[in-house]
Amino acid sequence: MPATAALESSFLGKDFRELGFARIAGLVQFLQVMAPSMSSNLRHRTRAVGHSNMAGIWLTGSVRLRRPACTRSAAAAILFVLLCPSGNAQNCPIHSLVFEGNKSIGSPILRAQIRSTREGVLYNPEVLNWELRNIEKYYQDQGFLRVKVGPPSVDFLTDTAGTRVVDIRVPVSEGPLFTTGQIRVKDAHVFEPATLLQMCPLRTGLAYSRQKMAQWQDKIADGYRTMGYIRFHATAHEEVHELQKVIDCTLECNEGAEYSVGKISVAINESIDLLDFKRHLLLGEGGLFNPEMISLSIQFLNQMHVYKPIAESDVEVQIDDEKKTVDLIFHLALLRKGSAASRSWYTGSAMK
């Protein structure tokens, strides 16, 4: 039995009363910390498999949606927080949280990155560790690639009211600041490299940020996909100069082929005028496939009040990598069969 399944099995056999308030509080804290990062990873992985699967559009081509590994590991971690033995530390509120050794980034800014581990909140070591990893990521996005945050020093004390509390001191070793060196674009032909470089938020001499580099890659990918290059992919290659504390970066582009719209069909029980339906779409057969036009077409169709509300999950996208085409199947249902607005759409032949 896989480890996660074993944890789930043991969890289902437990009574929440056995877990105690401290474990439930720990779970709540853990979810508060993990929820934004899990949703961020999910967006990243969705974008990575292709822009054409945006917002739940079905994919039946070579692209497959897979459950992100981050959600599986997060589920196991949540069960661990619930099931691991509870100690007195879980029942102690935090009295103070202090950062030591930080010079370039002030403590108020670091505290602003913390979501749950604050004064007055019950101390949870698992949550604290996640918080410190987030602070490390924040430092790295500011150019401190060699930063180390923690391990924390935790002291258990008794306050004047006789309550057992926790004082936390977090050592910070910032390391050197790395700046941006030369940025290059390789193998770009659809767009001029100079045009893509103008979109980059980093400039020579500024603090290097991997997050900004990733945002730049996403912006370039969006531009390519609106031109029909739905298989576009770019990889950033970093060259770190430790002595100069400078990072050169080369963005290698794999543009792929240009995809066009193949066949547009409708799956519906009623007969409609297919040609008239296609005239209301913002993309047509033989034209460039732009995923954004699907969303805009759906908005326009919904404003007509002819069909029941259409979602992006009602559009099936079939990608043929050999023909470099994208077929679209709209799964529809008429809003009111007897309405004047919909009767004019019944005159065509039913799609099979």
Side-chain angles (χ1 to χ4, degrees):
M1 179 182 294
T4 303
L7 281 173
E8 291 173 350
S9 176
S10 59
F11 169 69
L12 293 175
K14 279 186 172 288
D15 191 320
F16 269 96
R17 290 172 296 183
E18 297 178 14
L19 298 174
F21 171 79
R23 308 312 300 160
I24 302 301
L27 172 61
V28 172
Q29 286 180 275
F30 185 87
L31 289 174
Q32 288 174 334
V33 174
M34 282 298 296
S37 59
M38 285 195 299
S39 62
S40 175
N41 285 330
L42 181 58
R43 287 194 301 271
H44 174 74
R45 281 177 169 265
T46 302
R47 183 180 297 276
V49 297
H51 189 75
S52 57
N53 68 342
M54 57 178 184
I57 291 179
W58 301 348
L59 290 179
T60 56
S62 61
V63 176
R64 293 289 185 269
L65 286 176
R66 290 179 291 180
R67 184 182 179 187
C70 62
T71 58
R72 294 192 294 269
S73 60
I78 290 173
L79 290 172
F80 171 76
V81 171
L82 280 172
L83 298 174
C84 66
S86 174
N88 293 332
Q90 298 288 343
N91 298 318
C92 298
I94 297 173
H95 177 256
S96 66
L97 174 63
V98 179
F99 292 95
E100 299 177 341
N102 53 307
K103 300 177 181 178
S104 301
I105 300 180
S107 295
I109 297 178
L110 297 182
R111 293 173 66 88
Q113 312 308 313
I114 293 179
R115 302 185 180 98
S116 297
T117 307
R118 300 178 179 275
E119 285 84 354
V121 177
L122 293 181
Y123 167 66
N124 187 300
E126 293 91 356
V127 173
L128 176 60
N129 287 332
W130 276 105
E131 302 271 27
L132 299 186
R133 299 294 75 77
N134 287 335
I135 291 178
E136 280 190 347
K137 292 178 182 178
Y138 176 79
Y139 257 106
Q140 291 169 355
D141 288 334
Q142 309 307 311
F144 296 91
L145 304 186
R146 304 291 183 254
V147 65
K148 181 173 177 57
V149 179
S153 174
V154 181
D155 296 323
F156 294 91
L157 309 171
T158 303
D159 63 10
T160 55
T163 303
R164 187 172 171 81
V165 295
V166 177
D167 282 349
I168 303 174
R169 290 179 292 114
V170 180
V172 178
S173 175
E174 294 179 333
L177 172 65
F178 285 81
T179 58
T180 305
Q182 292 185 343
I183 300 179
R184 305 178 183 86
V185 176
K186 181 181 177 182
D187 297 334
H189 307 288
V190 177
F191 296 100
E192 291 291 335
T195 301
L196 301 181
L197 287 172
Q198 289 178 354
M199 300 166 55
C200 183
L202 295 177
R203 294 291 182 268
T204 300
L206 296 180
Y208 185 78
S209 172
R210 285 173 177 159
Q211 182 181 33
K212 290 182 179 179
M213 287 296 299
Q215 292 171 351
W216 180 42
Q217 289 178 246
D218 289 343
K219 188 180 297 185
I220 292 175
D222 287 341
Y224 267 93
R225 285 161 187 154
T226 60
M227 299 292 292
Y229 293 85
I230 60 175
R231 297 301 194 195
F232 172 85
H233 177 70
T235 305
H237 300 283
E238 295 178 349
E239 186 177 356
V240 182
H241 303 279
E242 293 287 351
L243 292 179
Q244 297 85 358
K245 304 300 183 290
V246 171
I247 298 181
D248 297 333
C249 186
T250 299
L251 188 68
E252 185 176 357
C253 300
N254 182 1
E255 295 178 328
E258 180 183 84
Y259 282 68
S260 60
V261 179
K263 182 180 179 182
I264 298 178
S265 57
V266 176
I268 190 172
N269 293 328
E270 270 75 27
S271 298
I272 67 169
D273 187 337
L274 182 58
L275 293 178
D276 193 24
F277 172 81
K278 291 180 180 180
R279 281 195 291 267
H280 290 82
L281 301 178
L282 299 180
L283 69 176
E285 295 176 346
L288 291 177
F289 176 69
N290 182 351
E292 293 182 1
M293 292 299 103
I294 296 179
S295 300
L296 296 176
S297 296
I298 289 175
Q299 294 179 21
F300 182 70
L301 291 172
N302 285 334
Q303 291 174 357
M304 296 173 59
H305 303 293
V306 174
Y307 305 100
K308 291 182 179 180
I310 307 170
E312 289 183 347
S313 58
D314 296 321
V315 182
E316 186 176 352
V317 178
Q318 297 182 339
I319 302 175
D320 191 326
D321 288 315
E322 183 176 351
K323 296 180 179 179
K324 304 299 185 290
T325 59
V326 181
D327 295 340
L328 303 176
I329 303 175
F330 288 79
H331 295 259
L332 308 175
L334 288 171
L335 187 62
R336 293 185 301 275
K337 187 172 181 178
S339 66
S342 61
R343 277 198 298 269
S344 62
W345 292 67
Y346 282 40
T347 58
S349 57
M351 291 302 304
K352 297 181 180 179

